[in-house]
Amino acid sequence: MSTSRRGRLFAALVVPATLLLLGSTAQAATFSPEADPVSAINADIAQHDHELGSQIRRVEGDKSTPDTQKAAQQPQPGQAIPGQVLATVAGMDVASYQGNVDWASWWNQGKRFVWTKATESTSYTNPYFAQQYNGSYNQGFIRGAYHFATPNTASGAAQARYFVAHGGGWSKDGRTLPGALDMEYNPYGATCYGLSKAGMTSWILDFHDTYHSLTGRYPVIYTSTSWWSSCVSGDFSSTAPLWVARYASSVGTLPYNWGFYTVWQYTSSPLDQDTFNGAYDRLQALANG
C-alpha cells in the first residue's frame, strides 16, 4: 500500500500520542470491540498491523513507476528456474488496510494468486482475514496466508504455532499456498530486533521447522536483500521458496544463496502487487507441494 493511501485511511483515526511512543510492549494492549466495534478494529490495526513490505518501503523506499511495473511482469531470463518455461503469473497481497476486497474486480484485472495477512507476533489477527482469505478462494484465486514476524516478542516456534492456529495452515486442495514468513525491518525499534545474525538465523529456523512439523510444508520466506544481508547469516535456500521485495524494473541481487526467486513483490501502488516466477502450472505445483 502506498504511503499516501495509508495516510488517507488513517486520516479519520485519533490515536493517543502515548500509543505512538510505545515499543514492542504496545502489542499487549487490549480493546473492547463490544463497546465500539469499528473504533476497536481501527485502533487495533493502527497499533499492531504492519502489512507485508511496509517497513521495507519505509527504509528502502518504493521508486516503482508504471514502466518498472510493466517490466517486472515480464519473465526475467536471468532468474529462470531450471527446467521451467519462462513465464509469469500476476498476483497480489493484502492486509486489513484493504478491508473487504472486491475479488471479482481483481480477478478481472488478471490477478490469479494472493497472500493475505493472518497474524503478527502472538497477539494480532487480521479482522478481515475470513473475507479476504475465503473470498479470494471462492473467486478462483490460489491463496495463502502470511505472518508478520516480530522476533523480539516470542520464539519462532510460538509464532509459528499462533500463525497456524489463526489461518496460516496448509491443505493439499490444489489452491492453498504454503504460509509465508514476513521478515523485514522492525517497526518498533532496532532494525534486527536486537538479535545477532546468528540469533536471527536461529529464530527463523525455529519458525521454519515448527511450521513444517505442523503442516508438512516449509514456509515461503518474504524479505528484502538489504534486510536479510544485515540481519541473517543462515541459508534457507534448499527448503524455503523466496519471495523477494524490490520496487524496480529488475529483481536485482537475491538474498544469500538463493539462486532464483519464486515470487517478486515489485510495487506497492495502488496496492502490493507480485509476480510468480513461472507458468500457472508451476504455481499450482507450489500449492500442491
Side-chain angles (χ1 to χ4, degrees):
M1 173 181 294
S2 66
T3 302
S4 60
R5 177 167 171 78
R6 183 169 179 174
R8 290 195 300 272
L9 288 172
F10 283 99
L13 293 178
V14 178
V15 182
T18 52
L19 294 182
L20 300 178
L21 297 176
L22 291 175
S24 59
T25 56
Q27 297 186 66
T30 58
F31 300 89
S32 300
E34 296 83 2
D36 187 348
V38 174
S39 294
I41 288 174
N42 287 341
D44 203 18
I45 290 170
Q47 276 190 268
H48 302 153
D49 187 15
H50 299 89
E51 78 273 25
L52 193 94
S54 59
Q55 305 311 300
I56 294 172
R57 291 188 292 276
R58 176 179 64 84
V59 176
E60 300 179 20
D62 182 349
K63 299 177 182 178
S64 61
T65 67
D67 285 342
T68 67
Q69 293 177 28
K70 183 178 180 180
Q73 295 175 67
Q74 303 304 310
Q76 306 288 305
Q79 296 293 332
I81 299 174
Q84 294 193 24
V85 175
L86 279 174
T88 63
V89 181
M92 56 195 286
D93 56 89
V94 297
S96 60
Y97 299 107
Q98 282 75 42
N100 292 323
V101 176
D102 183 349
W103 290 112
S105 174
W106 287 108
W107 180 268
N108 290 337
Q109 293 178 55
K111 304 301 184 186
R112 292 295 180 265
F113 71 92
V114 61
W115 266 278
T116 293
K117 180 172 182 178
T119 51
E120 180 171 333
S121 186
T122 56
S123 58
Y124 175 85
T125 58
N126 175 3
Y128 296 98
F129 180 76
Q131 191 278 341
Q132 295 175 347
Y133 189 71
N134 297 326
S136 59
Y137 184 90
N138 292 337
Q139 182 60 47
F141 283 79
I142 295 178
R143 54 78 194 269
Y146 75 85
H147 174 77
F148 189 100
T150 56
N152 59 332
T153 62
S155 69
Q159 294 195 32
R161 288 193 293 267
Y162 185 80
F163 178 45
V164 171
H166 294 86
W170 175 77
S171 58
K172 193 171 184 177
D173 57 12
R175 302 240 319 272
T176 300
L177 295 160
L181 174 61
D182 179 0
M183 300 300 307
E184 55 184 286
Y185 301 90
N186 181 6
Y188 300 107
T191 292
C192 301
Y193 299 84
L195 299 179
S196 66
K197 286 189 174 183
M200 185 66 76
T201 299
S202 294
W203 190 96
I204 296 170
L205 185 63
D206 196 24
F207 185 104
H208 167 279
D209 289 353
T210 302
Y211 188 82
H212 182 262
S213 71
L214 294 172
T215 67
R217 297 297 303 274
Y218 288 108
V220 173
I221 291 180
Y222 168 92
T223 194
S224 77
T225 299
S226 179
W227 183 87
W228 191 268
S229 299
S230 297
C231 298
V232 187
S233 59
D235 177 8
F236 293 87
S237 63
S238 64
T239 54
L242 172 65
W243 183 359
V244 66
R246 187 167 189 261
Y247 312 121
S249 58
S250 65
V251 75
T253 302
L254 300 180
Y256 176 67
N257 221 34
W258 269 290
F260 55 85
Y261 68 90
T262 298
V263 183
W264 173 17
Q265 186 190 66
Y266 60 86
T267 187
S268 61
S269 178
L271 83 172
D272 293 349
Q273 298 186 64
D274 308 280
T275 185
F276 175 78
N277 186 14
Y280 188 77
D281 67 329
R282 295 298 85 202
L283 178 63
Q284 292 175 309
L286 177 62
N288 280 319

